[in-house]
Amino acid sequence: MSTFRAIVFASVIAGFIVGLIVTVVQQFGTVPLILKAEVFEKAAEAHQHDVPATAQPTAAGHDHADHDHAGHDHGAGDHDHGAGAWEPRDGFERNAYTAAANILTAIGFALLLAGFFAVRSGATGGSVSWHEGLLWGLAGFAVFTLAPGLGLPPELPGVPAAPLLSRQIWWLAAVLATAGGLALMVFRRSVPAAIAGVILLTLPHLIGAPELANIETNVPSSLTHQFVTAVTVTSLVFWTLLGGLTSMVFARFDRGADQRG
């Protein structure tokens, strides 16, 4: 029971702190870029509404007036910008929803990390150190951000993307393959396991992520590059803080570790 309590307390405390910190980081990194991109997106939508219907292309795949904005990947999830879709008001309400989403996400991943720490602590008979937690956090960054981002970089509003389902399937496959590959290379420590791990790491990228043949957007490519960099750096901060802080709080509450040692 003490271990379960340590998992829950460590996840909630670390997730709450990290979620708030990342929210602040986003206000100076990704949020300004998203707001700039939304200006371009709304300008493009206004231009499309002003063009007479007879001037609209009719070929399949080129009618941007009927473009599904639910396919955009904003780095933290897909958002529907279609008419009638509810969105929080700019300012406090939008920031509050962002903070809540970040905290819940951080708690969820902290539960995953704390579960690994509990297994590791039970196997070794001692608590997990903060630097070991940091390594686990970096592994989470590689699995959930770095590897999938190589094929599916974060997308700004107004930038068309491949169908959502195909992107989700490839993203999940990349996450599972990366996690499996790293586990084989780190925990098995043998040549066949290392070879199998490398194959798993590269397989999703050899298959290739789903992408559109032609991408037409008025969002500047420089803005997109800045956004990808900002999302990657923010995610690195998220995972390093989450790994180190979760391990420290878990060790503090896991009284059973001292007794096992």
Side-chain angles (χ1 to χ4, degrees):
M1 180 60 71
S2 62
T3 300
F4 176 77
R5 184 168 57 248
I7 292 174
V8 175
F9 284 176
S11 302
V12 173
I13 294 174
F16 183 80
I17 295 174
V18 173
L20 289 180
I21 293 175
V22 168
T23 301
V24 174
V25 173
Q26 288 176 336
Q27 299 306 309
F28 298 95
T30 58
V31 170
L33 299 175
I34 291 175
L35 294 178
K36 289 180 181 179
E38 287 179 346
V39 173
F40 288 99
E41 181 184 35
K42 292 176 181 178
E45 291 176 350
H47 174 72
Q48 291 166 4
H49 288 306
D50 291 338
V51 175
T54 56
Q56 296 289 337
T58 58
H62 295 280
D63 189 352
H64 295 283
D66 295 329
H67 177 67
D68 182 5
H69 292 281
H72 294 313
D73 184 357
H74 292 188
D78 292 284
H79 305 275
D80 186 359
H81 293 278
W86 178 87
E87 291 183 1
R89 292 188 295 271
D90 290 339
F92 176 79
E93 182 176 339
R94 185 169 186 170
N95 293 335
Y97 276 99
T98 299
N102 288 336
I103 291 172
L104 290 176
T105 301
I107 291 176
F109 281 121
L111 282 169
L112 185 64
L113 288 172
F116 287 133
F117 295 157
V119 174
R120 191 71 170 166
S121 178
T124 60
S127 60
V128 177
S129 63
W130 69 268
H131 54 270
E132 188 175 355
L134 182 63
L135 293 176
W136 278 91
L138 290 175
F141 170 73
V143 169
F144 292 100
T145 299
L146 192 58
L150 293 175
L152 292 175
E155 297 287 353
L156 280 166
V159 179
L164 177 60
L165 180 59
S166 60
R167 285 185 290 135
Q168 288 178 329
I169 293 174
W170 188 91
W171 185 92
L172 181 59
V175 166
L176 294 177
T178 304
L182 290 177
L184 286 173
M185 298 172 67
V186 173
F187 296 115
R188 296 302 296 269
R189 298 181 182 274
S190 65
V191 174
I195 295 175
V198 171
I199 293 175
L200 279 177
L201 288 175
T202 58
L203 185 59
H205 306 285
L206 292 176
I207 296 174
E211 58 183 17
L212 297 178
N214 296 309
I215 298 179
E216 297 181 8
T217 177
N218 62 342
V219 177
S221 59
S222 60
L223 194 64
T224 298
H225 295 155
Q226 293 176 36
F227 183 67
V228 172
T229 301
V231 169
T232 303
V233 172
T234 302
S235 180
L236 180 61
V237 172
F238 173 89
W239 279 106
T240 52
L241 287 177
L242 193 66
L245 191 57
T246 303
S247 62
M248 288 191 295
V249 181
F250 176 81
R252 173 67 178 82
F253 284 101
D254 188 22
R255 302 298 186 182
D258 296 333
Q259 299 175 0
R260 292 190 297 269

